Amino acid sequence: MHLSPDAIVYWQFGLLKLNATIVFTWAIMLVLVVGSRWVTRKLSMGLERARWQNLLEIVVIGMTRQIADIGLQQARTYLPFLGTLFLFLAAASLATIIPGFEPPTGSLSTTVALALCVFAAIPIFGISKQGLAGYLKSYVEPTVVMLPFNIISEASRTLALAVRLFGNMMSGTMIIAILLTITPFLFPVVMTVLGLLTGMVQAYIFSILAAVYIAAATHSSKSKTAATASGSA
Amino acid sequence: MLIDWFTVVAQALNFLILLWLMKRFLYAPILRAVDAREQRIAAELKDAEAKQSEANKEREDFERKNEVFDQQRADLLRKATDEVESQRKAMLDQARTTADNWIAKRQQALRTEADGLSRTIEDSARSEVLAITRKALQDLATTDLESSMAEILMRRLRALDGQSKADLVAALGPASTAPIVSSAFVLPPQKRAAIQQLLLQLFGSNAPLRFEIRPELVCGIELSVNGQIVAWNVDGYLQSLRKEIERIASERTSSATAAVVAADGQGGLPGKDARPPDTEVAEDPSTAAAAPVQVSAA
């Protein structure tokens, strides 16, 4: 029994190796990209549209609104990053229903990689939005004393992001695997359904947290200015 | 160790590739389609709004035109009604006038017919009266009556004066034809001699008289020479009587016509001056009655 799909290695050449995490990630990527391409190859601009196009529109518009609800203006700027994050995690969680499928999110390597992407994206979006000085200034808010705490917070929340997702996904598959040996038949099915729910919730939480962090990085000084203005008024 | 750093790097790369692919194949086309649809819907809404306003405008225009049309129709209807009413009135007036004229003509015709009938009756009555009188006088005519008539003739001759006498004298001149004394019956010889004697005495003429019998004189006597006639007969009285009857009839016709004219209250009927051509104007009855003796050129 493997704790992580990283342990399943299909092919290795020196440092290069092809483990289950990468293979199943490619599989999810293939499904997502090919499905998107297939649906969007003949998009209708009119009022009549295909049901798959309708589904994708609902998903895309829903994600855009969710991003906007969090407080990110120009939600479409962040849609590719946050949307892809959510879709990948959701697809990985949903795919657990397929027998023999090892979710790549059950690997700490994958969650760390995604958390690092978020960790990198936060300053990129923050700097592009407020400039380097504006972004760096957010680390000394409200006082310079908070600088180390801010840095620790930045690092720890990235770690928490990675570990939370990994723990949930790994525990889900582990619980099912353990239950299969103890109480076969009905109970693992219930747990699989529960795993689907928790997987979706975790995908949502991961994406929302990423959005919140980005929003904090892009909005900090602006929201503070607005708060000061309203306070003085 | 749970973290395989090669896998971490690979997964990060995978994620970035997926991000790029999804951006290219999912988000961009879907958002483009949504935007296009929204624009199209907005355009259609705007178009619909424009059409709505246009339709409102056209409806108002139509309603205004409809109102104007209704007004015009009402005007035309009223005008047509007025025209029909006036025409009806004119036609009724014309029909009434025609009927009145026709009634007047009918009355005139009836009146004319009645007049003609009464005139016919009067004529025949007059003729009958004259015939009866003539018959009675013929029955009464005897030699004594002839003697009396000769006496009357002689009295007339004696009463002649002025122009009449001169004319008669001229007619009894030396170159004259024999004077003719006409009567209905044979005159007694002594009366013939008396007349001859009187002519000699009054006019100096001893031209021999010729005596003729003319029954149509009825009750009368006549002396004629060279176109000059001195006569006395009952026919003169009868003529006077006829004229008197005609005068009375004419007066009655005139008064009836005047009454009709007054009743009609309008012209078109013959007035008092337009009598029928056969109606003679009666002369003064005294003048007419006093002219039984005629001296005239034949």
Side-chain angles (χ1 to χ4, degrees):
Chain A
M1 179 157 187
H2 310 285
L3 198 60
S4 164
D6 289 1
I8 308 169
V9 179
Y10 299 115
W11 178 82
Q12 186 158 15
F13 181 77
L15 270 179
L16 298 176
K17 58 183 170 185
L18 205 60
N19 54 29
T21 307
I22 296 171
V23 170
F24 285 114
T25 301
W26 284 353
I28 291 169
M29 285 168 64
L30 191 70
V31 168
L32 286 177
V33 172
V34 169
S36 300
R37 180 81 188 99
W38 178 70
V39 172
T40 57
R41 80 185 185 284
K42 44 179 181 183
L43 278 178
S44 159
M45 303 289 179
L47 296 175
E48 296 287 327
R49 51 196 185 270
R51 60 184 68 177
W52 285 109
Q53 182 187 345
N54 211 16
L55 176 68
L56 287 190
E57 283 184 11
I58 289 169
V59 169
V60 171
I61 298 299
M63 290 190 303
T64 311
R65 283 186 185 154
Q66 195 68 55
I67 293 165
D69 285 347
I70 286 165
L72 284 170
Q73 285 145 358
Q74 298 173 326
R76 288 188 181 188
T77 311
Y78 310 102
L79 176 66
F81 181 76
L82 294 172
T84 307
L85 209 55
F86 174 76
L87 285 179
F88 177 71
L89 296 176
S93 301
L94 285 176
T96 54
I97 205 169
I98 300 167
F101 182 85
E102 292 285 344
T105 45
S107 153
L108 189 58
S109 305
T110 306
T111 55
V112 166
L114 293 178
L116 286 174
C117 286
V118 173
F119 182 75
I122 290 167
I124 291 172
F125 282 125
I127 291 167
S128 72
K129 187 78 179 176
Q130 337 181 44
L132 184 60
Y135 174 71
L136 290 179
K137 200 181 167 191
S138 67
Y139 279 94
V140 293
E141 299 285 346
T143 59
V144 184
V145 181
M146 293 299 288
L147 178 62
F149 300 103
N150 277 333
I151 292 169
I152 292 168
S153 157
E154 198 78 16
S156 65
R157 74 185 182 192
T158 305
L159 184 66
L161 208 59
V163 173
R164 185 191 300 114
L165 181 61
F166 162 71
N168 276 286
M169 298 309 291
M170 184 271 286
S171 64
T173 42
M174 288 300 286
I175 286 171
I176 292 166
I178 292 165
L179 281 177
L180 274 173
T181 59
I182 302 172
T183 55
F185 308 120
L186 194 61
F187 201 63
V189 175
V190 177
M191 288 311 292
T192 306
V193 173
L194 198 62
L196 283 176
L197 181 65
T198 53
M200 292 302 293
V201 169
Q202 287 308 314
Y204 179 74
I205 287 172
F206 195 99
S207 309
I208 287 294
L209 284 175
V212 168
Y213 299 154
I214 293 170
T218 55
H219 275 223
S220 57
S221 64
K222 201 176 284 181
S223 58
K224 184 174 287 180
T225 313
T228 311
S230 62
S232 63
Chain B
M1 185 60 184
L2 285 174
I3 298 174
D4 178 22
W5 290 105
F6 171 77
T7 309
V8 169
V9 173
Q11 287 296 76
L13 276 175
N14 278 341
F15 177 73
L16 292 176
I17 292 166
L18 179 64
L19 195 153
W20 181 76
L21 287 172
M22 292 298 272
K23 186 177 180 182
R24 178 179 163 81
F25 291 121
L26 180 65
Y27 305 122
I30 289 286
L31 288 176
R32 207 162 44 234
V34 169
D35 287 346
R37 186 178 303 119
E38 281 181 355
Q39 277 180 3
R40 181 172 161 179
I41 288 170
E44 281 180 359
L45 281 176
K46 198 177 172 186
D47 190 42
E49 202 173 329
K51 278 181 181 168
Q52 175 79 36
S53 70
E54 194 180 346
N56 282 341
K57 194 180 158 195
E58 280 185 4
R59 194 188 61 193
E60 285 172 8
D61 200 31
F62 173 76
E63 280 176 356
R64 201 180 59 247
K65 278 184 183 170
N66 217 5
E67 209 170 309
V68 172
F69 175 73
D70 281 350
Q71 184 67 33
Q72 284 178 347
R73 195 181 56 180
D75 287 349
L76 282 176
L77 197 63
R78 195 164 50 243
K79 197 177 165 190
T81 308
D82 291 350
E83 278 180 7
V84 167
E85 183 63 26
S86 64
Q87 204 166 348
R88 190 179 75 95
K89 207 170 282 177
M91 286 172 82
L92 274 177
D93 286 349
Q94 193 181 357
R96 198 173 288 128
T97 309
T98 308
D100 287 349
N101 286 344
W102 189 84
I103 289 168
K105 275 181 190 169
R106 182 76 189 135
Q107 283 175 345
Q108 178 64 24
L110 282 171
R111 215 155 35 231
T112 308
E113 196 178 344
D115 286 351
L117 189 61
S118 70
R119 200 152 39 235
T120 306
I121 291 167
E122 283 171 8
D123 284 348
S124 62
R126 189 167 58 227
S127 305
E128 202 60 30
V129 167
L130 289 177
I132 288 166
T133 309
R134 195 179 298 271
K135 185 79 173 74
L137 287 173
Q138 275 176 346
D139 290 347
L140 287 172
T142 58
T143 309
D144 289 345
L145 186 61
E146 296 303 313
S147 300
S148 301
M149 284 191 291
E151 281 297 325
I152 288 168
L153 178 63
M154 283 190 286
R155 205 155 55 229
R156 296 284 180 206
L157 286 171
R158 279 189 206 100
L160 282 176
D161 57 356
Q163 187 62 37
S164 303
K165 191 174 181 177
D167 289 344
L168 198 56
V169 169
L172 289 170
S176 70
T177 55
I180 299 167
V181 175
S182 306
S183 61
F185 294 92
V186 178
L187 287 173
Q190 62 267 30
K191 289 298 174 190
R192 293 181 179 186
I195 291 168
Q196 183 77 61
Q197 184 63 36
L198 189 65
L199 284 179
L200 180 63
Q201 185 186 335
L202 286 177
F203 308 111
S205 167
N206 55 358
L209 291 170
R210 199 150 59 82
F211 292 92
E212 287 180 356
I213 304 303
R214 284 164 59 194
E216 71 270 17
L217 286 175
V218 184
C219 182
I221 189 164
E222 181 183 291
L223 169 66
S224 64
V225 55
N226 278 353
Q228 295 291 322
I229 294 170
V230 176
W232 176 90
N233 58 37
V234 177
D235 200 38
Y237 290 114
L238 291 179
Q239 291 291 338
S240 173
L241 175 63
R242 185 181 67 83
K243 283 186 179 176
E244 180 65 9
I245 290 169
E246 283 175 353
R247 186 187 65 80
I248 290 166
S250 170
E251 271 182 1
R252 208 181 60 194
T253 305
S254 300
S255 62
T257 306
V260 168
V261 168
D264 288 349
Q266 59 182 30
L269 292 175
K272 202 170 184 176
D273 297 334
R275 291 189 185 87
D278 57 340
T279 307
E280 289 182 21
V281 180
E283 294 166 7
D284 190 350
S286 58
T287 312
V293 181
Q294 298 164 356
V295 178
S296 59

